[in-house]
Amino acid sequence: MNATPETDTVDVLAARADTPAAEHGVFLDSAGSSLPPQRVVETVVGHLRREAEVGGYRAARERSEDLAAVRTSVETLIGAPTGTVALSDSATRAWCDFFYAVPLSPGDRILVSTVEYATNAIAALQRARATGAVVDTIPVDPSGRIDLEALERMMDDRVALVSLVHAPTNGGLLNPVREIVDLAHRHGALVLLDACQSVGQIALDVDELGVDALSGTGRKWLRGPRGTGFLHIAPSVLDTLEPRSLDLHSASWTGPDSYTVADDARRFETWEHDVAARLGLGAAVDLLLELGPSAVEAAVRARAERLRNALAEVRGIAVHDLGEHHTGIVTFTVEGVAPAAVKDALADRDVTVSVSPASSTLLDMTARGLDSLVRASPHYFLTLDQIDHAVDECRALTSQR
Ligand SMILES: *Cc1c(COP(=O)(O)O)cnc(C)c1O
């Protein structure tokens, strides 16, 4: 009854035992905010209790080694050298911290992709207005991936930064990274990778990717707490960028008229942070390291493929995922039923999905004439029976009409 793919090397039964809610309904929203494992919940709640007993300062001091280890765990996960990860309170904050630190002059160009996340696009437009820089969109090929030849034609020495979304929020696309990085670097441009939807479900290594910076979030595929995120900055650019805001942790006040900026990624952190959440993020990353990022990637892919393929077979359901290489995100529409109504109807049957509105990825959704999509994102803690059950519930929505 609880079938799992033969290809699984993750111990799914153990993962389910560690995720009590995995039994209650079919949870298909790890791209939104996943179900945390017990150890994350206990870490966070336990620390809050300790703060109530001895105060926040002493509670943090008791966990100082564990807190320092969180950065190291994230660095291990993404193959980053020591001192190149800053912990943050969201991926948005992390992304913006880097982006707003990149110097821009009138006429400089910022390249974004068609699947750019709304936050990134808004930030780019804001900075273009303030600095006289221009924002240009990189075309996609017929499969929906970034068109490398088109990118090559549009590159010039005015391109200051290429913003790349590894896996978009509104579909199963996985963008190529390395070729784009090499192209951008040949023209002296920086590459900032939004890895929110890839970290935790795709095994990745910043050295292989070659990016100048990468942002990630805790609450999605990493199964960490909300209000956590991180920024990796490559050593080659770290000390060339000064954050737009500093504090007494990212910098030191050295005299009445002087300060020095931290010489590692801590220059992008703030002193104050949610200690419980940060410890919870560490617990989530350590669990992933124990399971093995490649094993998790294979497990997610097997579940998403089964879901995508089965939905594509249902008359009245259209799958909308772009690209040839797919992630754990499956997007679809049900003919004649608005995505929000599909989500609500599925919720009534204990199947949790979310809706991707056009406003999150405006360029791509507008180009494809889409208002919104149903998004289903299965993690490794689902059984195949649960996937099949979700497909049955979706099928029932088509024949109900
Ligand atoms: C969710 C998401 C973000 C933002 O992450 P936060 O942790 O909410 O700041 C950025 N980019 C993409 C592609 C996302 O899916």
Side-chain angles (χ1 to χ4, degrees), residues 31-32 89-93 115 117 119-120 165 167-169 194-197 215-220 226 228-229 375:
D89 54 18
S90 71
T92 294
R93 178 95 69 198
V115 290
Y117 191 63
T119 296
N120 311 355
V165 177
T169 188
D194 176 341
C196 261
Q197 293 293 1
S215 58
T217 192
R219 72 169 191 280
K220 296 178 181 175
R226 297 202 62 173
T228 57
R375 181 181 69 183

Side-chain angles (χ1 to χ4, degrees), residues 10-11 21 58 126 189 207 214 232 250-251 255 259 287 292-293 304 349 396 400:
V10 173
D11 185 347
R58 182 168 151 197
Q126 187 195 27
D207 202 38
L214 174 151
H232 157 75
S250 53
Y259 66 89
L287 170 63
R349 314 301 303 264
Q400 259 169 21

